[in-house]
Amino acid sequence: MQVGMIMTIEHKNILFFSAFFYIVFLLFSQVFSQESKKPNPTEAVICEVVKDRTPQNQAAVFSISAGKIFCFTNFDPVPEKTVICHNWFRTDILNTKIKLVLNPPKWSTFSSIQLRESDKGPWRVEVTDSDGNILNTLRFSITD
Amino acid sequence: MSAALNHILFFLLTIRWQDIADIALNSFILFRLYILFKGTKVFRMLIGIVLLWFCQEIAFSLRFIVTSLVIQGITAVSALIIIVVFSNEIRSVFQAKNLKAILWEFPRKTIQTPVEIIADSIFEMARKYCGALIVFPGKDDLKEIIQNGLPWDGLVSKEMIMSIFWYGNPVHDGAAVIQGDRVTEVGVILPLSKRNLPASYGTRHRAAKGLIEVSDALVVVVSEERGSVLAAKGNRLNVLYDKEELEKELLEHAGVQVRQQGDRKEKLSLCTAGLICMLCVTGIWFGITRGLNTLIALEVPIEYMNRDSAVKIVSATINTVRVHLSGSDILIKSVRPEQVRVKIDLSKAVIGHNSFPIKKEDITLPPGIFLTKIEPDVVEMKIESPVKLEVPITCINLDPALEMINTSAAMAYLHLSGPDDLIKSVRPEECQVKADLSKAVEGINTVPVMKENIVLPPAITLKKLEPDTIEIKVGRLISKELPIQADWTGKLDERFILTEVRISPEKILVKGNPRILENFSTIYTEKIPLDNIEKSGNLTVKLEINGSKIKIAPDFQDKAEVRYVIRERIGGIAGYE
């Protein structure tokens, strides 16, 4: 009688723990599956020219005389079609926000701004995903 | 005898030139009033009032209480009656004459009345037993006395006068009024006298008498029964026997001096009147100014004049002085406290202790009042030269987790005093004003600036502090980690590219007000010039946080090391490709 009761209790514990671990596994798998759907940035640079999908003359300081600068980003992998943003800030003030589409399986994209005399100063570009999470921050200056 | 002489001499010495001018001016005013109103009913009423006043004074001196009060009342009412009843006469006196005539001229009229024609006409009518009644108005207004007159306004001529009084004329029973060279009214009814008159006098005589009883007019009556001519004026009725007598009467009535003897008499009369006016005014003046000598004492505040605005009276032994005054009863009673002023001249005051005697010249009194005594006669005072300094308020003992957001006063004004040589050399940097914020809490705090928190140079004392309390708003600080970014400036040589920048530390912890810190996402370095950079290297630069309302956390420095990489440019600049 006593042995029978002990057995019943052990069985109940096993069932309970099995259910608990199953639920935990489901949650983690859900999270990881979400994470795995995010595009992975492999390269993010500010450059003077983008030629043949390759950034050229990457730098941290650009002259106004360059006329135009680019923010080049490369994502690999891109699990699904998604949108990212290139947010151009000049001294903490949002100057330009450019939405770009990423397509699987991997994708390179860039945005650019025309340089004017009034653009001189410290800049940064925040690369964000579709949820606004910052994926990368690039800091540079525009000078004479 | 000598005592009496001394008394007279003392009395003469106390008379000022202003007193003589005062008497002369008022005598002149009284004399001119006499000249202007002489011969009018107003003048007679004035004389009556003066007599009433005189009677009242006698009654008062004899302690006739009721008599004195009654006469006083009558006098007061009479003065009012004069103004109301004789307003026309008073107005005519001042309106008819210009300013020069009022102030200076004597009543020497040039006659406009054709005396000879009138006299000739009157005696011609007398000869023909033609009754006539002619009125020559004086200074009194006859409008309210005579009645039913018909306006005529004709130039005087013998024929006209005779035709007016011709028995067939409807107006011949009334009187004619002649003013100047014109017959102004005819058929006028005069008030009849109710007095007993001789039986030989008829209605015309009674009317003439009635008019002269109430006015200063001259009335000429031609008797219809006896053919006699009678001139009535004042209290007299004169029978005239020839033209010359009538002409003289008319001229005298018009104010024209006929004879030299009359001229002298007039001058004598004017001089006598002038003398009487002067004696009256002198008597009144003496009555007012040298009457019963009365003493009073007044407490008068001291006024300070010519004080240098840079100095301050710190203390004075007295603020008021007791001024003992004497003078006639009337003048003393009329003295108002604000008429007596004590002014001390501080133009010669020096820094430190001063003693100023209060002299007779320092006291302003109304005219006719004499100073007998001043108590006390010296005022002692301490004068200092306070200095006002503007000193910044330093807040101390504030909880490091709190921050002062704003304050009602950043500067305090210190009113300082001290030795003259030291006080002038005190500089704001030598003084400190501290506000103790050890008990300050988040929000608005009212903090008193305690004297023990004020630091002053030796021998200098604080007289006043403005403000003595300040309101300080205190907020709680938060920390935030911010990245550091290099702020490049100038122009990099086109041959090179600055490819990489690394900053150490990469981030810095700052503290500040949450609302302010919310807007900060980067801390920038000071401007780093590019012009002379040709190869990779490193720099130590300051962080640009001056002027912002954030602070670097204690474990961090306000500078950073910047490592940069330079490489030669391959190909041209993008913009020039």
Side-chain angles (χ1 to χ4, degrees), chain B residues 344-556:
Chain B
I344 304 289
D345 185 9
L346 294 186
S347 57
K348 290 175 183 173
V350 293
I351 303 295
H353 287 277
N354 292 264
S355 180
F356 292 100
I358 304 170
K359 301 186 288 293
K360 203 175 175 182
E361 303 84 66
D362 299 330
I363 295 171
T364 312
L365 297 172
I369 301 294
F370 302 97
L371 178 73
T372 54
K373 196 178 171 188
I374 307 165
E375 283 181 319
D377 56 357
V378 172
V379 55
E380 289 184 359
M381 65 181 70
K382 190 181 175 189
I383 290 177
E384 285 185 356
S385 174
V387 167
K388 190 179 175 186
L389 285 183
E390 193 179 6
V391 178
I393 300 171
T394 312
C395 293
I396 56 168
N397 302 331
L398 182 64
D399 185 342
L402 298 173
E403 184 209 21
M404 194 179 79
I405 295 168
N406 58 42
T407 173
S408 60
M411 306 297 278
Y413 295 96
L414 302 177
H415 297 255
L416 306 172
S417 65
D420 197 37
D421 51 338
L422 289 176
I423 196 79
K424 286 179 180 169
S425 61
V426 176
R427 285 174 288 119
E429 305 87 71
E430 293 178 276
C431 307
Q432 285 180 24
V433 179
K434 295 172 185 171
D436 186 4
L437 300 184
S438 57
K439 292 176 183 172
V441 292
E442 206 173 339
I444 295 170
N445 298 267
T446 303
V447 183
V449 182
M450 312 296 279
K451 284 199 172 180
E452 51 266 29
N453 287 333
I454 295 169
V455 180
L456 300 173
I460 301 298
T461 53
L462 179 71
K463 286 288 167 193
K464 196 178 168 191
L465 172 69
E466 290 177 309
D468 53 0
T469 56
I470 51 172
E471 285 196 345
I472 295 176
K473 190 177 179 185
V474 170
R476 190 158 290 279
L477 297 175
I478 60 157
S479 299
K480 190 175 181 184
E481 199 177 49
L482 295 173
I484 301 170
Q485 182 175 347
D487 185 6
W488 299 96
T489 186
K491 191 170 177 62
L492 185 68
D493 192 317
E494 288 174 2
R495 292 173 296 157
F496 305 111
I497 293 179
L498 198 154
T499 55
E500 194 179 336
V501 177
R502 287 187 183 278
I503 296 177
S504 177
E506 286 184 2
K507 291 184 176 178
I508 189 167
L509 193 68
V510 293
K511 285 188 169 184
N513 186 279
R515 281 183 297 175
I516 294 167
L517 218 50
E518 190 182 21
N519 300 321
F520 278 84
S521 57
T522 311
I523 293 289
Y524 297 99
T525 66
E526 61 180 331
K527 298 276 183 193
I528 309 170
L530 290 164
D531 303 270
N532 298 319
I533 292 177
E534 291 186 342
K535 58 182 180 180
S536 303
N538 61 331
L539 293 162
T540 301
V541 290
K542 280 194 170 183
L543 303 179
E544 201 64 59
I545 51 168
N546 292 339
S548 63
K549 292 179 177 177
I550 57 170
K551 289 173 186 173
I552 296 171
D555 297 337
F556 289 83

Side-chain angles (χ1 to χ4, degrees), chain B residues 301-320:
Chain B
I302 301 173
E303 296 170 53
Y304 297 104
M305 300 188 308
N306 304 326
R307 182 172 67 87
D308 185 355
S309 57
V311 302
K312 190 179 178 185
I313 300 168
V314 179
S315 63
T317 52
I318 48 167
N319 292 322
T320 59

